[in-house]
Amino acid sequence: MAKLNYHHLNYFWHVAKIGNLTKAAEALHVSQSALSVQIKLLEESIGNQLFTRQNRKLLLTDAGNITFSYAESIFNIGDELEAMLKNGLHKESQTLKIGMLSTMSRNFVEVFVKPLMNNPKVKLNIAARGQTNLLTELANHQFDLVLTNIEVSGTNKQLWQCQLLVQQPISVIGAPGLKLSKKFNDDYKSLDWILPAPGTPIRSAFDGLCAQYQFQPNVVGEADDMAMLRLLARDSNALAVMPDVVVKDEISAGTLTAYMTLPNINENFYAVTVKKHLANTLVSELIKDFALQQNNAL
């Protein structure tokens, strides 16, 4: 085989990711015909067809899937190298870029990054995003680490490394002074409820528990954002369903009380990274420190 043309391979990689020749040409700022020629040259040089057409769609052949897998690794390593060189090889200080799911608990994130807060050699850069944008920016090396409460599975296009950090128990939270049992009973039926939005993992689990106990809560508010749930719980007389960590300051101050822990319902927090040629030791140490902290708390 002649020496592989990485310029042609890069064009193929973009077309395979986008799945449409016209859109890929627009993204690459080249004509569709020029892009077709580049891919044809690549196919001729490697002696294999990379795409087939089906109902105006481009589908990868077996050789195309293998080539895409290698191209994904090659250009991801290239992006990683570029990001590392831009940030400097031997800097006295390091910026750690963390992406967090916009709806998750800020208190949890604060606990997680606490070991670095007073480290003069580390600058934290934390940004909130939706799940899709988090993973896109992580894949593009705009984040070193992503924190989320939604598990991420690997695909043949991107090898996510998703590690469970901790399972936080879910509690019924309310104003202090209420005479409530640690188990569901008639006392709870006369009170208003503020719940996570329908479709969220906590809400689905809570709805299942209510069905089990034939309990119909009087829902007066819903939110998919933990910060908003915290405010609603603090400033209303309703009961709220959330992890204790979300309102740990209010519980410590006595302005809110955790009345019961919901059985078999947890919120999972994950650390997500992408496989790198050179692992980020700061990220690895941060995850290990958090795991050690959790073990010591048991």
Side-chain angles (χ1 to χ4, degrees):
M1 184 189 298
K3 188 174 181 180
L4 184 64
N5 187 312
Y6 287 94
H7 186 66
H8 296 166
L9 184 65
N10 186 51
Y11 278 159
F12 157 77
W13 180 52
H14 278 88
V15 173
K17 284 199 298 182
I18 295 173
N20 182 283
L21 194 65
T22 302
K23 292 181 179 179
E26 292 174 355
L28 293 166
H29 305 291
V30 297
S31 68
Q32 183 175 333
S33 59
L35 188 56
S36 295
V37 169
Q38 300 297 314
I39 292 175
K40 186 66 176 177
L41 290 172
L42 177 63
E43 290 177 326
E44 291 175 355
S45 70
I46 64 176
N48 282 279
Q49 185 179 355
L50 300 174
F51 291 107
T52 58
R53 286 188 176 273
Q54 188 178 85
N55 298 327
R56 297 184 179 180
K57 292 183 179 180
L58 285 177
L59 301 177
L60 288 169
T61 62
D62 289 344
N65 275 306
I66 294 172
T67 304
F68 178 80
S69 177
Y70 276 92
E72 186 86 337
S73 298
I74 289 168
F75 294 116
N76 277 334
I77 290 174
D79 289 343
E80 178 188 335
L81 174 62
E82 182 180 10
M84 183 178 66
L85 293 175
K86 284 182 178 180
N87 291 330
L89 292 173
H90 305 291
K91 296 175 65 176
E92 291 187 2
S93 63
Q94 181 178 350
T95 298
L96 186 66
K97 296 168 289 185
I98 298 177
M100 59 170 284
L101 188 65
S102 56
T103 57
M104 72 185 298
S105 168
R106 270 64 173 167
N107 282 345
F108 170 79
V109 177
E110 183 182 23
V111 170
F112 181 80
V113 302
K114 188 175 181 180
L116 300 178
M117 294 295 288
N118 297 317
N119 188 335
K121 294 184 178 181
V122 178
K123 176 184 176 182
L124 285 174
N125 186 323
I126 303 175
R129 301 280 192 275
Q131 183 83 350
T132 300
N133 289 336
L134 280 178
L135 298 181
T136 298
E137 294 184 44
L138 179 63
N140 292 331
H141 303 284
Q142 293 170 265
F143 290 132
D144 300 303
L145 168 72
V146 158
L147 299 174
T148 180
N149 55 11
I150 303 173
E151 186 174 10
V152 179
S153 300
T155 70
N156 59 357
K157 291 187 176 182
Q158 184 66 57
L159 294 178
W160 306 112
Q161 296 175 317
C162 184
Q163 181 174 342
L164 177 63
L165 294 174
V166 67
Q167 290 184 314
Q168 290 283 348
I170 305 301
S171 297
V172 175
I173 307 291
L178 300 176
K179 295 181 180 180
L180 294 173
S181 169
K182 292 186 177 182
K183 294 183 178 180
F184 274 135
N185 60 20
D186 291 341
D187 294 337
Y188 286 93
K189 295 182 179 180
S190 61
L191 298 172
D192 295 332
W193 290 79
I194 295 168
L195 300 177
T200 56
I202 296 176
R203 176 62 179 275
S204 297
F206 180 72
D207 287 346
L209 187 66
C210 288
Q212 178 184 345
Y213 283 86
Q214 297 182 332
F215 174 73
Q216 184 65 44
N218 181 37
V219 181
V220 297
E222 298 173 329
D224 65 356
D225 181 271
M226 286 296 165
M228 180 56 66
L229 280 174
R230 172 176 171 265
L231 292 176
L232 293 174
R234 187 190 68 187
D235 299 332
S236 73
N237 292 318
L239 296 177
V241 174
M242 67 181 75
D244 289 6
V245 68
V246 176
V247 288
K248 65 183 183 71
D249 294 335
E250 287 81 1
I251 291 175
S252 296
T255 56
L256 287 174
T257 298
Y259 284 100
M260 66 173 291
T261 300
L262 298 177
N264 303 318
I265 300 179
N266 298 288
E267 182 172 29
N268 297 332
F269 292 101
Y270 301 94
V272 187
T273 56
V274 290
K275 187 175 181 179
K276 289 190 175 184
H277 189 65
L278 293 175
N280 188 317
T281 56
L282 191 58
V283 169
S284 300
E285 290 172 1
L286 189 59
I287 293 174
K288 287 180 181 178
D289 286 345
F290 184 81
L292 181 61
Q293 176 185 344
Q294 297 304 307
N295 289 334
N296 290 338
L298 295 177

